Amino acid sequence: MKKQILAILICSLILLSCKKNSDPGIIYTVSNVSTVAPAGIISWEDIEAGYKGSFSFPTGSEGVKDQNFSYSYGAFCMLDHTSIILEGHTYSKDVRKLILPGNLNGAEATVEGNWFEPTGNLQSTGETSNGYYRLGDLLNIDDRIYFTKYVWYNGSGEDYDSFGYLQKGTSYDNGTAHGMWNADHELAHNMRIGGYLCQAPANLKAKGVTFLAGQEGVSGAALGRWGPNLFAVKFDDTKPVGEDMTAIPLVVHSSESTMPQYWWMANKVHSAVWIETESKHGVMILFDRGYGDTWYGEANANNPPDPYGGGKGYHSSGKQLVAWVYDPVDLMKVYNNEMAPHEVEPVYEKILYDLKPGDSRGEETSYSFLHENRETRMDIKDNRLILLQASFGDQPTGYVVDL
């Protein structure tokens, strides 16, 4: 009898262990966010169900670093279901149009047209020596490509201009850049609004909103590092260059006291999309999260060390790529001044990629079709979602989802 009881206990422990390993929400979640999407909220399971396949990118001009995609940070925009514009090597600041392959089996996209600088090298109004202005993101609306820019290291916390647009000529590679402008809200600092862009939903477009913009995780002053940020921007190009555009907060974390529970200030939000289908909706953000031991200093200063290495800076012993989804109803409450922008909380979380404390590179676990824990951008048009994982030194990878 004792042997039977012991055998039952061992089997139960094995089953429990298997269940934990197959469900990252049980043991690897380091927040209080639900791993089950509420009714009517888009989930990562919906994304997986609509997954159509992947595509790759050409190597560019025979290995010339200034004109290829192998050092891209992945800023891109969809023009339609089959074409995108993607930044190349981050130091060149050029972009190029690509046509997706017919078969989404990892096949290569093809280039079209010429390399071009979509921002016209424009900088903050009246400023010519403000350091390295990095392309934040691109967004296509009608015959324009809107862009954001930010200073890659903003130790002073200066509020640089954030927005501009490229007006299409006969094609985008001979268009004309206009800008730059900033935002008028006191919370809409360049370090909170000069990064990721996404399409506005129909109900906000009806209120005059052109697009949504945010930023979180810029190096330097901690102004934009206390949690996800997103603003609704009413773009008015009749205003003189250098004046401020109307920006309405949707989600903002402007100080340490407003940080989401369990947030670490060295997390980084990569991108955001507002998704509306016939049956579900949600505002999804993707971010990388450090957990376990977290510290500032050298990568090997703690035991276990930072599995990704790197130089002096913020480090953690564990890292995850995470999707959070907000309920659009909550964001509209903020828009209508019925809720404070730091009070909005995600209603669903999915861990997509995990490297647990104590593990080394090669021991990562993927819980999705995404193959790396890297900068991951998103854009959506007519319920086709494209995700692009950048890579420092390797070619990016694109993924296509129909919702």
Side-chain angles (χ1 to χ4, degrees):
M1 182 68 177
K2 290 182 179 180
K3 291 183 178 178
Q4 290 177 328
I5 293 174
L6 181 60
I8 291 172
L9 287 172
I10 292 172
C11 289
S12 298
L13 288 172
I14 291 172
L15 288 171
L16 181 60
S17 174
C18 291
K19 183 178 180 183
K20 286 183 176 180
N21 287 331
S22 65
D23 186 350
I26 296 176
I27 56 173
Y28 303 135
T29 295
V30 288
S31 75
N32 60 345
V33 185
S34 174
T35 57
V36 178
I41 297 296
I42 199 81
S43 70
W44 191 262
E45 288 71 25
D46 297 316
I47 303 295
E48 293 275 353
Y51 177 57
K52 297 301 180 184
S54 66
F55 60 97
S56 58
F57 296 90
T59 56
S61 303
E62 299 181 358
V64 178
K65 283 188 175 182
D66 284 349
Q67 291 193 336
N68 64 32
F69 302 103
S70 62
Y71 282 78
S72 171
Y73 276 93
F76 84 101
C77 66
M78 296 174 63
L79 299 179
D80 50 43
H81 277 200
T82 61
S83 62
I84 67 172
I85 288 179
L86 168 66
E87 71 167 334
H89 191 289
T90 186
Y91 296 155
S92 76
K93 304 181 184 179
D94 286 348
V95 304
R96 199 168 188 182
K97 182 179 178 181
L98 295 127
I99 308 300
L100 273 58
N103 293 319
L104 297 172
N105 56 2
E108 232 178 57
T110 55
V111 295
E112 181 177 287
N114 303 308
W115 289 94
F116 63 99
E117 213 290 4
T119 76
N121 290 306
L122 295 170
Q123 293 194 344
S124 192
T125 305
E127 181 61 57
T128 59
S129 59
N130 58 7
Y132 179 43
Y133 235 161
R134 176 173 288 173
L135 180 65
D137 207 0
L138 302 167
L139 186 70
N140 172 234
I141 301 175
D142 299 324
D143 58 354
R144 291 181 177 181
I145 294 177
Y146 291 91
F147 60 82
T148 53
K149 297 179 83 168
Y150 65 94
V151 175
W152 74 274
Y153 182 83
N154 191 353
S156 68
E158 185 172 343
D159 189 13
Y160 297 107
D161 291 342
S162 300
F163 309 120
Y165 69 92
L166 178 75
Q167 181 67 52
K168 183 180 181 181
T170 55
S171 61
Y172 284 109
D173 58 15
N174 64 7
T176 304
H178 300 267
M180 294 178 65
W181 294 269
N182 213 329
D184 63 357
H185 196 278
E186 61 181 358
L187 297 179
H189 190 281
N190 177 254
M191 297 176 75
R192 299 191 195 110
I193 202 171
Y196 40 91
L197 291 165
C198 66
Q199 302 283 349
N203 62 332
L204 284 179
K205 287 181 179 178
K207 297 176 181 292
V209 173
T210 310
F211 54 74
L212 310 183
Q215 175 78 302
E216 195 282 337
V218 175
S219 296
L223 293 171
R225 307 195 74 161
W226 305 120
N229 302 300
L230 194 65
F231 294 81
V233 178
K234 296 181 178 180
F235 197 89
D236 179 6
D237 63 1
T238 64
K239 290 186 175 183
V241 168
E243 290 199 5
D244 293 340
M245 300 295 178
T246 300
I248 301 96
L250 299 176
V251 182
V252 184
H253 299 278
S254 59
S255 67
E256 187 173 8
S257 64
T258 67
M259 278 199 303
Q261 191 172 12
Y262 304 109
W263 189 265
W264 181 42
M265 69 169 292
N267 292 346
K268 186 177 190 302
V269 177
H270 300 161
S271 55
V273 288
W274 189 308
I275 300 172
E276 295 280 351
T277 71
E278 291 184 0
S279 58
K280 294 188 177 182
H281 64 179
V283 178
M284 179 176 288
I285 67 165
L286 299 182
F287 66 99
D288 61 64
R289 173 165 64 196
Y291 74 110
D293 292 331
T294 58
W295 69 95
Y296 181 86
E298 301 295 341
N300 60 355
N302 279 36
N303 188 20
D306 185 334
Y308 289 91
K312 188 174 183 179
Y314 287 101
H315 296 280
S316 61
S317 59
K319 294 183 185 292
Q320 296 174 330
L321 177 62
V322 185
W324 271 3
V325 177
Y326 294 90
D327 189 338
V329 173
D330 292 336
L331 272 63
M332 291 307 300
K333 288 180 180 179
V334 179
Y335 184 92
N336 293 319
N337 294 314
E338 298 169 4
M339 182 186 294
H342 67 271
E343 293 177 340
V344 180
E345 297 181 349
V347 295
Y348 166 79
E349 169 181 291
K350 174 69 175 180
I351 297 169
L352 307 178
Y353 207 85
D354 194 13
L355 181 54
K356 298 181 291 297
D359 285 350
S360 60
R361 294 300 306 271
E363 296 180 284
E364 300 104 322
T365 302
S366 174
Y367 299 102
S368 72
F369 52 75
L370 299 173
H371 72 288
E372 293 282 357
N373 187 5
R374 291 172 171 170
E375 185 106 0
T376 306
R377 308 288 190 117
M378 300 182 288
D379 195 12
I380 189 168
K381 275 201 171 187
D382 301 321
N383 287 339
R384 166 158 280 196
L385 175 69
I386 292 181
L387 302 95
L388 195 149
Q389 277 203 308
S391 178
F392 194 74
D394 298 323
Q395 298 301 104
T397 303
Y399 303 90
V400 178
V401 174
D402 286 338
L403 297 170

